[in-house]
Amino acid sequence: MQELETFRYDNKIVRDFAFATLLWGVVGMLVGLVIAFQLFIPEINAGIQYITFSRIRPLHTNAVIFAFVGNGIFMGVYYSLQRLCKARMFSDLLSRLHFWGWQLIIVSAAITLPLGATTSKEYAELEWPIDILIAMVWVIFGINMIATIMKRRERHMYVAIWFYIATFFTVTMLHVVNSFEIPVSFLKSYPIFAGVQDALVQWWYGHNAVAFFLTTPYLGLMYYFLPKAAERPVYSYRLSIVHFWALIFIYIWAGPHHLLYTSLPDWAQSLGTTFSLMLIAPSWGGMLNGLLTLRGAWDKVRQDPILKFMVVAVTAYGMSTLEGPLMSVKSINALSHFTDWTIGHVHIGGLGWNGFLTFGILYWLVPRIFKTKLHSLKMANFHFWIGTLGIVFYALGMYWAGLTQGLMWKQFSAEGYMQYPLFLETVLQILPMYLIRAFGGLLYFSGVLVGVYNLVRTVRSGNLVENEEAKAPALLKQNEHEVKNVYGHRWLESRPFQFIVWTVIAVAIGGIVEFVPSFLIKSNVPTIASIKPYTPLELEGRDIYIRDGCNTCHSQMIRPFRSETERYGEYSKAGEFVYDHPFLWGSKRIGPDLHRIGGKYPDAWHYNHMLDPTSTSAGSIMPPYPWLFEQDIDFSTTPSKIRVMQIMGVPYPEDYDKRAVEDLKVQAKQITENLRSANFQVEENKEIIALIAYLQRLGTDIKAKKTAQLAK
Amino acid sequence: MSAIVVLIGASLIVAVGFLFAFLWAVKTGQFDDKYTPSIRMLIDDKEEEEKQKR
């Protein structure tokens, strides 16, 4: 028998991440609640640009994903990894750097996003200096984790560790690839890809952020904390391994399902759908394994609020991973995309799976590291029930709203005209559902507040065991001879070999299907001769559009359906976006699509509309943008913007950066005069001028081609 | 579609990495025992001591 080594688990870092999870959870969900109310009471932003819906909606998503769930992941990983490896974290210094670095990222996000420093790419809105910081802190986490695994005292790596490792490597790659951007100034950059390509990169990232930030690490946590809380082993350890490998091999290829019916090549869309449907199997493997762990222990679930939280979390995971693949089927996506259905879908995952599992873990872990009992089981039960009720109301409101609006958009009258030609009509119809959603959110949030109070009281009643003592024998060196002879043959002979073959085939199919067409066809993006780069003023207007997050509520992607071409105009073509760094297709239509807005209304209409949307559209829930009429266009960076565009291959004439500001002023003067002739007194250098220039340009180049053809 | 080449390249790098991780795991016998690990993780020495005291 080997001698026991004594070592200490670092509980302080677990506590720090637990507190950060609670703090940012409250902040992120509070912002979510505010934007939910803004959707039916737009005035509550009080005309302040920094708290306008379009600027703080990304703040909400970033806060709940990277601050709440992010800290939750680290809390759970630091607790479970040490115990599974029977070792203290590799370096206390790296642990602290990781913790404070991550909080610094969150704080800088909370400052820059309301200021309008955004890349416009969903869940990757943070600008390039913060991107670099994220990469550094993430790698610190990775080194700390891998080094801990290397010095483990337990040879076998429990399945949770596999999930953590996959999370680290995949997120690193996703973040790096989606952050290929060229800086223009300190807080402004352009992505190197444009249009369709940029969209593909973004949703490859966006989808896998859900997969490898909200799913795999939480499955790892489930495999540790659920058996712990239930005090019984996971239903099938074999299943956990099989579904882990299947999940990570399949997930990476499903991204294009976010771009169905867009200008993305058809074969890429079909590929996304196929892999999404395949995902049902490994996802449900995880859900069933979690639920079946409780076989014979359901009496415990009745009494223990922790298990209640976990059961609902795992069930929500199962529901959203069935719903997701179904929404990736093109005919369903045609109805669900751009509607609140998607918002309902992600909140089943967010509130149910991530939120409830986080609180289940917190209720289990905090009393343990503080050597005390949970302050109040009653409060925890209350949190569970009010939270569940909140999810139900939230889902009810969003599914109802999504279906209603989706069907209204597509409805034709018996005579063949659009039944609801006014987009606003479909918005006003679902306002009651927005109210229900906000009520659901309010319930969920009050549950969270009770939870925080309960945990704070728990912490106060105990004392943190900063360095928890543990004993384990040192890891014996494996006899290499033995490994080769026994396992060397065995892995060839046993089932894992077949499994390898199948995974190789699965990966290879994905690779071949995506590779070959892109080699055979020189370019999958057809060029359209009449598509020209944006003028400097339009470019500045576009950057204002990005800064104020217009793409949060307005898509620029008309899908090839009659219901859309009737409403908005000709469907969007891939070749129209070749100079769009970044692409601005959007993912949600709270307002109508804007791709063919150019030339649809006079300049004066846009002027009125931006100043007070209800003046042109009575009942509109769009907030006013008065600051556009006060702030000056910043053309100090215009030349460097042009230069960066040129580097990326946008064909501006040589040395155009030197003339760009002149051209900008000429165009601004034209628009100003146009507005003055309609009796609007405005100065040439105000931001509204640039925005109008951009809006009036949108989707018009293709019309020039038509006119030219007619002339022939 | 040069972006797609980048994406597939990156995805394949990760996938191949996972593949090697998988091969390593099988070779070193990580998955030979598909039962004990699920029990072992339940046991923390501290809690055991306390239970014995009771």
Side-chain angles (χ1 to χ4, degrees):
Chain A
M1 182 79 194
Q2 243 214 321
E3 217 167 296
L4 284 179
E5 288 182 344
T6 307
F7 52 93
R8 288 177 161 79
Y9 296 133
D10 184 358
N11 279 344
K12 212 170 139 209
I13 192 72
V14 179
R15 176 204 62 185
D16 292 348
F17 276 118
F19 286 180
T21 308
L22 289 173
L23 171 69
W24 297 122
V26 169
V27 173
M29 290 179 220
L30 181 66
V31 177
L33 204 54
V34 170
I35 58 175
F37 276 88
Q38 283 181 345
L39 279 177
F40 54 92
I41 323 171
E43 302 85 50
I44 56 175
N45 75 358
I48 301 166
Q49 52 180 317
Y50 310 112
I51 54 165
T52 302
F53 180 89
S54 50
R55 287 208 196 172
I56 61 172
R57 190 259 186 187
L59 184 65
H60 164 63
T61 52
N62 277 282
V64 291
I65 297 173
F66 299 110
F68 172 62
V69 173
N71 278 308
I73 293 170
F74 302 138
M75 163 188 77
V77 169
Y78 276 81
Y79 184 90
S80 60
L81 187 71
Q82 297 187 75
R83 282 151 182 89
L84 288 171
C85 290
K86 296 252 178 285
R88 189 185 176 88
M89 288 310 294
F90 165 68
S91 154
D92 284 4
L93 177 68
L94 288 186
S95 300
R96 307 287 165 240
L97 279 176
H98 173 204
F99 177 78
W100 289 109
W102 197 255
Q103 310 316 315
L104 179 66
I105 292 164
I106 296 167
V107 171
S108 34
I111 294 169
T112 55
L113 288 174
L115 286 174
T118 169
T119 63
S120 86
K121 292 180 149 206
E122 275 182 83
Y123 325 124
E125 285 92 347
L126 303 177
E127 267 298 351
W128 67 273
I130 310 174
D131 278 346
I132 294 172
L133 189 61
I134 294 172
M136 283 162 50
V137 175
W138 188 254
V139 168
I140 287 175
F141 162 59
I143 292 171
N144 205 10
M145 178 171 75
I146 305 288
T148 309
I149 295 171
M150 305 268 272
K151 65 165 205 176
R152 69 189 188 278
R153 290 187 178 82
E154 168 57 62
R155 183 172 311 279
H156 179 85
M157 287 158 63
Y158 185 65
V159 67
I161 300 177
W162 285 106
F163 278 100
Y164 303 156
I165 295 173
T167 301
F168 169 68
F169 282 105
T170 318
V171 171
T172 309
M173 175 198 68
L174 295 169
H175 176 68
V176 169
V177 173
N178 197 36
S179 301
F180 285 165
E181 54 211 3
I182 302 182
V184 171
S185 60
F186 176 56
L187 281 177
K188 177 77 194 164
S189 66
Y190 291 128
I192 62 164
F193 293 115
V196 183
Q197 307 219 38
D198 193 36
L200 187 60
V201 176
Q202 155 60 23
W203 284 112
W204 174 80
Y205 163 88
H207 169 75
N208 284 311
V210 174
F212 287 92
F213 205 86
L214 299 176
T215 307
T216 53
Y218 265 58
L219 280 169
L221 298 183
M222 177 192 87
Y223 276 120
Y224 184 81
F225 291 99
L226 180 61
K228 280 284 188 190
E231 293 181 306
R232 57 190 54 226
V234 62
Y235 170 65
S236 163
Y237 192 68
R238 181 195 299 262
L239 176 59
S240 74
I241 296 166
V242 173
H243 103 91
F244 164 74
W245 291 103
L247 191 81
I248 59 162
F249 277 115
I250 297 176
Y251 240 134
I252 297 184
W253 310 102
H257 68 209
H258 288 262
L259 299 166
L260 299 180
Y261 286 114
T262 65
S263 310
L264 186 74
D266 244 359
W267 57 268
Q269 297 186 24
S270 303
L271 187 81
T273 302
T274 312
F275 275 89
S276 303
L277 286 168
M278 283 161 70
L279 268 174
I280 296 178
S283 303
W284 274 48
M287 175 195 68
L288 293 173
N289 214 359
L291 290 180
L292 288 173
T293 298
L294 295 163
R295 76 207 177 283
W298 287 94
D299 55 309
K300 280 190 186 173
V301 179
R302 209 170 52 214
Q303 286 146 6
D304 185 2
I306 294 172
L307 284 178
K308 283 187 193 138
F309 272 105
M310 290 182 175
V311 165
V312 170
V314 175
T315 310
Y317 172 68
M319 293 306 106
S320 50
T321 53
L322 174 67
E323 189 188 22
L326 293 182
M327 289 167 85
S328 308
V329 173
K330 280 182 106 176
S331 45
I332 296 178
N333 193 271
L335 176 65
S336 75
H337 196 50
F338 292 132
T339 73
D340 287 302
W341 188 341
T342 312
I343 316 297
H345 167 66
V346 298
H347 280 86
I348 295 288
L351 300 173
W353 167 238
N354 297 114
F356 267 28
L357 195 60
T358 307
F359 274 97
I361 293 170
L362 277 163
Y363 284 133
W364 185 87
L365 173 155
V366 170
R368 272 178 175 71
I369 61 173
F370 280 90
K371 274 257 171 268
T372 180
K373 282 214 157 103
L374 189 62
H375 169 66
S376 161
L377 273 183
K378 258 192 181 161
M379 271 192 220
N381 268 311
F382 174 78
H383 177 188
F384 169 77
W385 286 110
I386 201 165
T388 307
L389 209 59
I391 297 175
V392 171
F393 273 102
Y394 197 108
L396 197 74
M398 286 295 91
Y399 289 131
W400 189 3
L403 279 170
T404 305
Q405 202 176 24
L407 290 170
M408 283 175 90
W409 289 343
K410 288 183 174 299
Q411 188 63 48
F412 282 94
S413 67
E415 292 77 27
Y417 295 108
M418 268 191 299
Q419 182 88 45
Y420 307 100
L422 270 182
F423 188 91
L424 187 57
E425 216 176 340
T426 72
V427 176
L428 297 179
Q429 184 72 27
I430 60 168
L431 286 188
M433 287 75 129
Y434 279 166
L435 193 96
I436 294 172
R437 180 259 295 272
F439 177 67
L442 189 66
L443 290 183
Y444 191 91
F445 184 65
S446 26
V448 167
L449 290 182
V450 172
V452 171
Y453 174 77
N454 197 1
L455 286 167
V456 168
R457 289 293 298 263
T458 307
V459 166
R460 288 227 175 122
S461 72
N463 280 311
L464 178 70
V465 187
E466 286 197 14
N467 298 295
E468 189 182 324
E469 201 179 285
K471 288 190 176 87
L475 192 60
L476 277 173
K477 276 221 169 133
Q478 225 166 357
N479 186 335
E480 278 183 32
H481 184 71
E482 181 193 23
V483 174
K484 268 182 194 157
N485 276 345
V486 179
Y487 300 110
H489 280 101
R490 260 179 75 182
W491 77 266
L492 268 169
E493 290 155 8
S494 65
R495 276 184 218 92
F497 184 68
Q498 298 165 7
F499 186 69
I500 296 167
V501 174
W502 285 112
T503 44
V504 172
I505 291 171
V507 173
I509 289 173
I512 292 162
V513 169
E514 287 196 31
F515 254 126
V516 172
S518 55
F519 284 141
L520 292 182
I521 309 161
K522 209 173 177 190
S523 172
N524 272 300
V525 183
T527 44
I528 303 172
S530 61
I531 305 295
K532 297 276 180 292
Y534 296 105
T535 68
L537 186 67
E538 289 157 7
L539 198 61
E540 289 297 342
R542 193 168 197 271
D543 284 337
I544 292 166
Y545 186 100
I546 292 170
R547 179 197 72 194
D548 273 315
C550 304
N551 53 298
T552 309
C553 302
H554 296 280
S555 58
Q556 289 186 17
M557 172 47 61
I558 302 165
R559 297 177 293 173
F561 303 137
R562 185 166 164 251
S563 58
E564 300 216 347
T565 52
E566 284 283 303
R567 187 183 297 279
Y568 304 118
E570 197 165 338
Y571 69 88
S572 306
K573 316 210 173 15
E576 291 185 80
F577 303 102
V578 288
Y579 304 128
D580 281 16
H581 295 270
F583 81 111
L584 291 172
W585 293 358
S587 63
K588 176 76 179 77
R589 283 181 188 150
I590 297 174
D593 188 278
L594 296 181
H595 192 210
R596 303 271 176 238
I597 194 78
K600 195 173 177 184
Y601 303 107
D603 291 353
W605 186 92
H606 287 293
Y607 185 95
N608 277 327
H609 185 249
M610 296 309 296
L611 196 57
D612 177 13
T614 54
S615 68
T616 52
S617 324
S620 170
I621 57 167
M622 175 167 148
Y625 286 79
W627 53 90
L628 297 176
F629 299 78
E630 289 151 18
Q631 289 168 188
D632 295 340
I633 304 168
D634 172 24
F635 37 70
S636 65
T637 52
T638 310
S640 58
K641 282 178 181 174
I642 298 287
R643 279 195 295 274
V644 169
M645 287 289 177
Q646 281 174 323
I647 293 171
M648 296 184 295
V650 179
Y652 288 109
E654 217 175 302
D655 289 335
Y656 187 65
D657 54 309
K658 288 169 191 130
R659 289 176 284 135
V661 177
E662 265 171 64
D663 276 11
L664 181 151
K665 286 180 177 163
V666 171
Q667 196 187 0
K669 196 163 188 185
Q670 281 168 359
I671 294 174
T672 315
E673 274 166 15
N674 192 8
L675 281 171
R676 284 195 180 140
S677 67
N679 279 328
F680 289 105
Q681 293 310 314
V682 61
E683 290 164 60
E684 295 164 18
N685 56 351
K686 297 298 172 199
E687 287 180 342
I688 183 69
I689 304 295
L691 186 66
I692 290 177
Y694 172 61
L695 291 174
Q696 294 291 34
R697 171 72 185 276
L698 265 178
T700 51
D701 282 10
I702 205 158
K703 291 177 192 162
K705 179 188 165 197
K706 282 216 162 142
T707 333
Q709 273 174 346
L710 283 176
K712 276 179 199 168
Chain B
M1 293 294 279
S2 51
I4 240 170
V5 178
V6 173
L7 296 188
I8 294 167
S11 301
L12 277 179
I13 288 169
V14 167
V16 168
F18 284 151
L19 192 64
F20 278 105
F22 178 73
L23 291 176
W24 173 85
V26 176
K27 256 187 174 173
T28 53
Q30 285 285 338
F31 305 139
D32 280 8
D33 182 351
K34 294 173 205 77
Y35 181 64
T36 338
S38 63
I39 308 286
R40 194 191 298 124
M41 62 81 66
L42 289 172
I43 304 161
D44 282 331
D45 15 311
K46 264 288 151 63
E47 283 169 32
E48 285 307 295
E49 280 168 30
E50 278 162 29
K51 267 177 199 163
Q52 279 165 7
K53 274 177 209 163
R54 276 178 223 157

